Amino acid sequence: MTAANPYRTLAAASQNSSIQKSKKVAGRPGRKAPRRHSSSAKRVTKMGKLQEKVAVVTGGTTGIGFATAKRFVDEGAYVFITGRRQKELDEAVKAIGSNVAGVRGDVSKLQDLDNLYETVRAKGKIDVLVANAGIGEFAPLATLTEEHFDKLFDLNVKGTLFTVQKALPLMKDGGSIILIGSVASVKGTASFGTYGATKAAVRNLVRTWTVELKDRRIRSNVLSPGPIKTPLVDLQPPEAIARILTTIPMGRMGEPDEVAKAAVFLASDDSSFVTGIELFVDGGRGQV
């Protein structure tokens, strides 16, 4: 037979004694059982990453712009979106629901930009500016026209530049500027040269503004998507899109909300030491 362990016996006796005492205490008349707090009582309201910020998102009626505006509102911001067509603008504002205002205008027209910022001024200063409005078209070098060239550069470069310039008097020191670029700025795609050139220009603007605006602590970054499921992509030749898909390591097109999540990062304090970069959301297409 195995000898009894005296230390184990004493421990067991002590444990039994404690259990009996706790039962007596719980059964005493007039003594209330300890209150247990429900998990809901301990729940703390989570503040959004853009709480009480004011943001402007151009081209905010569909695709990446709409997804970004919606994400910003979900994170606590008040957002102004722009669009050229009133019907689409009204539909977007309704879909987002609250803390959003729509301003009709074309960012390639300076008077429309003046009207936009007069409307924004009534709300206060701008914390975040997303210059998203843009257009893409395929056109081979041998047949592209002056009209094609002017349309893309007017909207994608001129419109972007003056969207930022005219916002500066309203921008808060320490604010964030996000330009929507494209993986086309670093990848050569047949018949897509004009568009790629506009986005390469956008990339260079951010390099310059990072230096020019440093005294105001305004951060400038480029957010460059790869092929994303947007209405703009739907307008492109199917064979061109199919060809591009074969070059994406992840083997699929991205979703607008995947780009919007990256925009929240660049807009928020999560990226407080990030400026002058080009952040790719492209499924790896521009990296291989």
Side-chain angles (χ1 to χ4, degrees):
M1 293 180 64
T2 305
N5 186 331
Y7 296 105
R8 183 178 296 173
T9 303
L10 285 171
S14 175
Q15 183 178 9
N16 289 336
S17 175
S18 297
I19 292 172
Q20 292 299 323
K21 286 179 180 179
S22 65
K23 285 182 178 179
K24 289 178 181 179
V25 170
R28 286 179 188 173
R31 177 67 62 90
K32 292 182 180 180
R35 288 184 68 181
R36 294 185 177 182
H37 296 284
S38 65
S39 59
S40 61
K42 295 181 179 180
R43 192 175 297 137
V44 177
T45 302
K46 184 179 179 181
M47 299 289 282
K49 292 185 176 183
L50 301 176
Q51 201 70 34
E52 298 183 352
K53 303 286 188 183
V54 174
V56 174
V57 180
T58 64
T61 59
T62 60
I64 292 169
F66 174 80
T68 298
K70 190 173 187 307
R71 273 275 169 189
F72 281 11
V73 169
D74 290 344
E75 291 290 346
Y78 188 96
V79 182
F80 291 88
I81 62 173
T82 73
R84 290 183 290 178
R85 290 171 286 276
Q86 191 65 48
K87 183 175 181 294
E88 290 182 7
L89 193 60
D90 292 342
E91 289 172 352
V93 168
K94 183 178 179 181
I96 294 171
S98 61
N99 291 327
V100 60
V103 182
R104 184 179 179 182
D106 181 340
V107 300
S108 66
K109 297 177 180 177
L110 272 56
Q111 183 58 56
D112 286 1
L113 288 172
D114 289 337
N115 295 340
L116 165 65
Y117 293 123
E118 278 302 313
T119 303
V120 174
R121 190 185 302 275
K123 185 70 178 177
K125 294 285 190 177
I126 299 170
D127 297 280
V128 183
L129 173 63
V130 181
N132 167 72
I135 190 170
E137 288 182 348
F138 285 87
L141 174 61
T143 58
L144 68 82
T145 64
E146 183 180 11
E147 179 187 13
H148 160 81
F149 181 92
D150 288 344
K151 179 164 66 171
L152 267 62
F153 269 85
D154 272 357
L155 189 56
N156 296 358
V157 182
K158 173 188 168 185
T160 296
L161 189 154
F162 285 104
T163 292
V164 174
Q165 185 206 65
K166 288 181 173 292
L168 286 180
L170 290 177
M171 284 291 298
K172 281 186 179 178
D173 290 353
S176 174
I177 295 170
I178 303 169
L179 307 189
I180 302 301
S182 170
V183 70
S185 69
V186 297
K187 297 291 283 188
T189 302
S191 303
F192 218 34
T194 309
Y195 176 77
T198 67
K199 294 304 183 177
V202 162
R203 175 66 181 105
N204 193 267
L205 289 175
V206 155
R207 292 184 192 279
T208 304
W209 297 341
T210 296
V211 178
E212 284 191 23
L213 301 176
K214 64 183 176 62
D215 290 342
R216 293 186 58 187
R217 296 175 291 103
I218 294 175
R219 298 180 296 107
S220 301
N221 294 290
V222 182
L223 178 55
S224 288
I228 305 294
K229 294 178 184 176
T230 66
L232 183 61
V233 168
D234 293 339
L235 298 175
Q236 309 309 323
E239 63 275 12
I241 299 303
R243 185 171 64 249
I244 291 173
L245 280 173
T246 65
T247 69
I248 303 173
M250 292 188 72
R252 66 174 177 86
M253 297 184 69
E255 298 290 340
D257 193 54
E258 292 178 297
V259 183
K261 290 174 184 176
V264 170
F265 167 70
L266 292 176
S268 72
D269 289 341
D270 287 349
S271 61
S272 58
F273 198 55
V274 177
T275 190
I277 72 162
E278 183 170 15
L279 176 59
F280 289 95
V281 184
D282 64 351
R285 182 170 189 262
Q287 317 311 313
V288 298

